[in-house]
Amino acid sequence: DHVLDEAGTRAEELREAISHRKGSLSIRDLMGTYGDLVTAITPCILVSPDSVARFFPAHRRYVDIVVFDEASQITVPDAVGPMGRGQTVVVVGDPQQMPPAVPSGAGGDLEGARGGEQDSILDRCLGADVTRHRLTWHYRSRVESLIAFSNRHYYDGALLSFPSPVALIRPDDGPGGHGISLRRVDGRYYGADLREEHPEVVPNTNPVEADEIVAEVLRRFEASPQALPSIGVVTFNARQRDLIEAELRRKGPARVIAALGARDGLFVRNLENVQGEERDTILFSVTFSANERGDLPLNFGSLSEEGGERWLNVAITRARRQIVVFSSFDPEDLHAERSSHRGLKDLRAYLEQARAQRVPRALPA
């Protein structure tokens, strides 16, 4: 009660101070003049690094602790400013997830690929041997197989997961199902080089895969007339994402369109924009396919670059209960041994696991 009374008194003091000023008071001026009052009234402030630079004058420290979330995506220059506004810094992030990216703006078949990487504040702290605490509690996956692949390939088996009661049952790719499943579809990827030959097709998309995923989303909404399904769609590039969302808006009833803006409803993201999301079910569009010669090019956007395995790790760990992978090629068609990039090798291994319809054991029997 004493703390609340003091905060109320200081809030009134702030209101009176502002009311006596002539004209408007910018946020930066407000923080520069009355920063101590603002932090007393609202001791926990949620803000982006860019907003810190714009709204918090650099001549003082405003808080006791600055906490960076998703620090793997925050560059060192963006982090330095917020660090100076506090007494202590806690950097929270996963080095196996997405780094800061420099947009390429290239478009075409490489749309969605990174234009380059910068060091993150997380990388710099790890390199400087700052005191480190590893968080090993995994909470998202209600079915152990959903995290087992990443746990084995990226986290040295250190994540604490729990055997689920459905661990000995084959995965089920239907509504209300569980585990990881692969659906092989007869799709074709139309690159920008086929624009003149197929003007009716949106370049850099796989229309058949898009149609299959849209149909699956609609089927799941029909199967759940009362409750809103929790579904995420992840694609390998931005054009495929845009096509699927456009088709959902065109074909879907009002429930589907409303779900696109609902919390824990329906989202459509590409690899570069899915970090931080989670849903019960993830429908995964691999997007690419063999060309007219029957060859599968080793060009999978971000996965085909150095560190691309982090994009795969993010994408396959978004589901709480179920992942259904839609692919227009068989796992053995992906000759990942011809590439030096781990992302492609891990993708093939993941597709093989999904097709095998088996649950890998994270713990010995």
Side-chain angles (χ1 to χ4, degrees):
D1 290 342
H2 172 72
V3 172
L4 291 175
D5 289 342
E6 182 178 355
T9 300
R10 304 201 76 178
E12 185 61 33
E13 180 182 346
L14 178 59
R15 282 194 293 269
E16 290 181 2
I18 294 176
S19 66
H20 283 86
R21 290 182 61 94
K22 295 182 179 181
S24 61
L25 184 65
S26 70
I27 297 178
R28 186 175 182 86
D29 289 339
L30 176 69
M31 293 303 303
T33 305
Y34 305 108
D36 58 334
L37 297 180
V38 173
T39 53
I41 297 167
T42 57
C44 183
I45 301 173
L46 182 65
V47 65
S48 68
D50 178 65
S51 294
V52 170
R54 289 189 290 120
F55 298 137
F56 289 65
H59 65 278
R60 57 182 299 179
R61 295 185 176 182
Y62 295 86
V63 294
D64 297 319
I65 302 175
V66 175
V67 181
F68 290 98
D69 187 29
E70 300 285 8
S72 68
Q73 294 187 299
I74 301 175
T75 65
V76 175
D78 285 342
V80 168
M83 283 181 162
R85 270 73 167 187
Q87 304 287 341
T88 305
V89 176
V90 179
V91 178
V92 185
D94 182 352
Q96 296 300 327
Q97 293 196 357
M98 296 181 184
V102 179
S104 66
D109 285 357
L110 290 175
E111 179 164 346
R114 306 186 303 280
E117 292 182 8
Q118 303 180 63
D119 282 345
S120 71
I121 188 61
L122 178 63
D123 294 330
R124 194 63 62 87
C125 288
L126 292 174
D129 201 24
V130 172
T131 301
R132 178 178 179 180
H133 300 280
R134 188 171 189 178
L135 306 180
T136 57
W137 185 277
H138 177 75
Y139 69 91
R140 179 178 295 132
S141 303
R142 299 172 188 167
V143 180
E144 189 182 10
S145 63
L146 298 178
I147 192 60
F149 185 92
S150 287
N151 197 9
R152 184 171 66 251
H153 283 75
Y154 306 125
Y155 300 110
D156 305 319
L159 295 182
L160 302 177
S161 61
F162 298 89
S164 69
V166 295
L168 300 180
I169 305 175
R170 291 170 63 86
D172 178 2
D173 67 352
H178 62 272
I180 306 168
S181 305
L182 176 66
R183 286 196 195 174
R184 175 66 160 84
V185 301
D186 294 324
R188 181 183 181 186
Y189 176 73
Y190 293 85
D193 57 320
L194 300 177
R195 187 192 308 265
E196 294 183 1
E197 184 179 347
H198 299 276
E200 76 284 1
V201 178
V202 178
N204 306 312
T205 65
N206 186 322
V208 171
E209 262 186 43
D211 289 343
E212 291 280 350
I213 286 180
V214 169
E216 182 64 22
V217 170
L218 298 181
R219 182 167 77 98
R220 289 168 182 266
F221 271 80
E222 291 174 359
S224 180
Q226 303 299 325
L228 187 68
S230 173
I231 304 173
V233 177
V234 181
T235 70
F236 263 67
N237 68 13
R239 297 287 180 87
Q240 184 78 351
R241 175 203 64 200
D242 294 343
L243 176 61
I244 291 174
E245 182 168 345
E247 288 298 294
L248 285 170
R249 293 185 181 277
R250 186 175 70 87
K251 297 180 178 179
R255 288 182 70 221
V256 172
I257 296 173
L260 285 167
R263 182 177 182 180
D264 203 29
L266 172 64
F267 74 71
V268 185
R269 300 277 191 273
N270 58 310
L271 284 177
E272 289 78 14
N273 297 309
V274 74
Q275 184 163 317
E277 297 281 8
E278 64 177 73
R279 292 294 187 271
D280 287 346
T281 296
I282 295 294
L283 306 178
F284 196 41
S285 174
V286 178
T287 307
F288 298 100
S289 73
N291 56 28
E292 62 277 3
R293 298 184 300 275
D295 299 323
L296 182 63
L298 299 178
N299 175 12
F300 281 69
S302 295
L303 283 190
S304 304
E305 300 183 15
E306 187 67 28
E309 69 276 5
R310 287 178 286 188
W311 267 252
L312 180 66
N313 180 39
V314 169
I316 64 177
T317 54
R318 301 301 97 197
R320 302 186 191 110
R321 195 188 68 230
Q322 178 188 46
I323 290 180
V324 183
V325 182
F326 292 76
S327 176
S328 298
F329 59 88
D330 296 315
E332 58 270 18
D333 295 333
L334 178 57
H335 294 286
E337 70 278 1
R338 300 174 183 172
S339 171
S340 61
H341 298 305
R342 181 181 174 185
L344 293 180
K345 301 178 190 298
D346 288 351
L347 174 61
R348 171 164 174 166
Y350 188 77
L351 293 175
E352 289 174 341
Q353 175 183 313
R355 184 178 63 179
Q357 291 281 304
R358 60 182 172 80
V359 178
R361 295 182 183 274
L363 299 174

